[in-house]
């Protein structure tokens, strides 16, 4: 007796014209994709609100005549705050110039010293762990505490710096008490604090570079400077560009150490008043909220322009 095998019936499509296509099994990634975004949604919403809302509110405030009490009424005035700020040759443009001078001077020195220290620490040596520990101490201290510390060190009368200068026969200096010396002194304090960060970033980049190109240049007779200039520096270009952008943006926003050492207005003659200090004074000393918001918007655009410029120059050098 013969038996016939009956094949399982295939599902029919909704149109009835043929078998329905078989459903593909859902993979683990597909089944968890929606769950992943559902878990990330609260954090993304929070970050978006913390970034977007302050920016939008600042832009809106910059277009009003907000002044006096925070809850006082304000009227839209268009771009008048921006024209007033850009036309202020007594405070705004000198503050912008100081911001640029402080940033360029500090970042250039920090990059040069950081690169030199990174090259010295590239090869392991005895006591290297202790050197790295000492190197990061300035990074562990808050800028306000650093400002107070240097105020004591650089005090014109009782500071240890002037005692050391007098011990070697050099004249005493005013340092932070001088209108002409305040900004260079604060640049050097910033260099003292942030050079270790540049050193660590560049040292991390140096440790990832291949050794073969440098060894080949050594075999070809290149000296140390030639190997650094034509082999190491081009390979370190992407890391160097990233470190420059990060440090430049951070230096542009410097406020706490300036305020801790020179107070409101950046000194009696506004000698260290940067755009950050200027906007702070407009907000909390003069309560000109609309004008302060316009200054902050211009400052933000200035920072974006600097970042774009640095990225383009870094891209050309690494191309």
């Amino acid at each position: 007796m013969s038996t016939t095998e009956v094949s399982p019936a295939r599902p029919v499509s909704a149109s009835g014209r043929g078998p329905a296509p078989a459903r593909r099994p859902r993979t683990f990634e597909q089944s968890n994709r929606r769950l992943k975004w559902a878990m990330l949604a609260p954090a993304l919403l929070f970050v978006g609100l913390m970034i977007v809302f302050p920016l939008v509110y600042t832009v809106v405030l910059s277009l009003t005549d907000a002044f006096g009490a925070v809850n006082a009424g304000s009227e839209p005035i268009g771009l008048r705050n921006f024209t007033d700020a850009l036309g202020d040759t007594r405070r705004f443009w000198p503050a912008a110039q100081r911001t640029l001078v402080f940033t360029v001077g500090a970042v250039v020195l920090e990059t040069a010293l950081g690169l030199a220290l990174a090259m010295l620490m590239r090869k392991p040596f005895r006591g290297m762990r202790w050197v790295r520990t000492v190197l990061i101490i300035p990074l562990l201290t808050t800028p306000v505490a650093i400002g107070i510390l240097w105020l004591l060190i650089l005090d014109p009368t009782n500071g240890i710096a002037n005692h050391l200068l007098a011990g070697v026969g050099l004249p005493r200096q005013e340092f932070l008490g001088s209108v002409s010396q305040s900004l260079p002194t604060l640049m050097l304090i910033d260099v003292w604090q942030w050079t270790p960060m540049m050193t660590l970033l560049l040292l991390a980049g140096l440790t990832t570079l291949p050794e073969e190109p440098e060894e080949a240049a050594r075999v070809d007779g290149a000296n140390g400077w030639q190997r650094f200039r034509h082999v190491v520096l081009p390979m370190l270009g992407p890391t160097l560009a990233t470190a420059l952008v990060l440090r430049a943006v951070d230096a542009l926003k410097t406020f706490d150490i300036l305020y801790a050492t020179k107070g409101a207005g950046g000194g009696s003659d506004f000698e260290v008043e940067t755009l950050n200090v200027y906007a702070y004074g407009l907000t909390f000393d003069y309560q000109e909220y609309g004008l302060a918001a316009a200054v902050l918007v211009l400052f933000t655009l200035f920072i974006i322009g600097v970042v774009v410029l640095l990225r383009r120059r870094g891209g050309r050098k690494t191309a």
Side-chain angles (χ1 to χ4, degrees), residues 4-39:
T4 59
E5 295 182 357
V6 179
S7 60
R10 300 182 64 183
V12 182
S13 64
S15 61
R17 296 180 180 178
R23 299 184 62 182
R24 299 177 61 183
R26 182 175 295 179
T27 63
F28 178 79
E29 290 79 7
Q30 291 173 338
S31 62
N32 285 277
R33 185 175 302 166
R34 293 183 179 179
L35 179 62
K36 176 184 69 176
W37 287 109
M39 298 293 288

Side-chain angles (χ1 to χ4, degrees), residues 58-228:
T58 302
V59 173
V60 172
L61 193 64
S62 68
L63 302 175
T64 67
D65 61 350
F67 177 82
V70 177
N71 57 355
S74 59
E75 298 293 334
I77 58 174
L79 299 177
R80 188 189 306 170
N81 287 323
F82 292 93
T83 57
D84 290 344
L86 293 174
D88 183 6
T89 58
R90 178 174 175 266
R91 298 283 296 275
F92 177 81
W93 285 110
Q97 181 182 6
R98 294 187 200 99
T99 304
L100 186 61
V101 170
F102 178 88
T103 301
V104 173
V107 172
V108 168
L109 288 175
E110 289 159 6
T111 303
L113 292 175
L115 184 57
L117 290 174
M119 291 297 295
L120 291 175
M121 300 172 61
R122 186 182 182 186
K123 301 296 182 181
F125 57 89
R126 188 175 182 180
M128 184 175 182
R129 183 176 302 178
W130 291 102
V131 173
R132 289 188 178 185
T133 302
V134 173
L135 193 65
I136 66 174
I137 289 178
L139 298 177
L140 303 178
T141 311
T142 60
V144 174
I146 289 177
I148 296 174
L149 172 65
W150 281 99
L151 273 176
L152 298 175
I153 295 175
L154 301 176
D155 183 83
T157 304
N158 300 316
I160 189 175
N162 273 321
H163 286 293
L164 294 176
L165 291 177
V168 295
L170 295 177
R172 290 177 174 267
Q173 302 295 324
E174 293 292 329
F175 295 115
L176 294 173
S178 168
V179 173
S180 59
Q181 294 180 4
S182 292
L183 190 61
T185 301
L186 285 169
M187 289 167 53
L188 293 178
I189 294 175
D190 191 83
V191 169
W192 175 84
Q193 182 182 10
W194 293 110
T195 295
M197 188 194 78
M198 295 295 289
T199 301
L200 296 177
L201 290 175
L202 297 176
L203 182 60
L206 286 172
T207 56
T208 62
L209 299 182
E211 298 181 359
E212 290 79 7
E214 192 172 359
E215 290 297 329
R218 189 195 306 272
V219 172
D220 290 340
N223 56 34
W225 169 251
Q226 291 172 335
R227 295 195 302 271
F228 170 78

Side-chain angles (χ1 to χ4, degrees), residues 170-319:
L170 295 177
R172 290 177 174 267
Q173 302 295 324
E174 293 292 329
F175 295 115
L176 294 173
S178 168
V179 173
S180 59
Q181 294 180 4
S182 292
L183 190 61
T185 301
L186 285 169
M187 289 167 53
L188 293 178
I189 294 175
D190 191 83
V191 169
W192 175 84
Q193 182 182 10
W194 293 110
T195 295
M197 188 194 78
M198 295 295 289
T199 301
L200 296 177
L201 290 175
L202 297 176
L203 182 60
L206 286 172
T207 56
T208 62
L209 299 182
E211 298 181 359
E212 290 79 7
E214 192 172 359
E215 290 297 329
R218 189 195 306 272
V219 172
D220 290 340
N223 56 34
W225 169 251
Q226 291 172 335
R227 295 195 302 271
F228 170 78
R229 172 66 180 84
H230 299 287
V231 179
V232 176
L233 199 57
M235 292 192 298
L236 192 64
T239 302
L240 185 60
T242 302
L244 276 173
V245 171
L246 292 176
R247 185 64 205 112
V249 172
D250 198 32
L252 283 169
K253 300 184 299 181
T254 300
F255 169 80
D256 34 22
I257 195 170
L258 302 177
Y259 192 85
T261 53
K262 299 296 293 185
S268 58
D269 198 31
F270 313 115
E271 58 266 21
V272 298
E273 184 182 59
T274 60
L275 287 177
N276 265 331
V277 178
Y278 178 51
Y280 179 89
L282 288 175
T283 304
F284 296 101
D285 296 335
Y286 303 104
Q287 298 182 343
E288 297 186 14
Y289 303 114
L291 181 58
V295 171
L296 290 176
V297 171
L298 293 172
F299 188 35
T300 302
L301 295 176
F302 178 67
I303 292 176
I304 293 174
V306 171
V307 171
V308 171
L309 178 63
L310 289 175
R311 294 298 298 176
R312 285 185 177 180
R313 291 182 64 88
R316 291 173 184 173
K317 290 182 179 181
T318 56

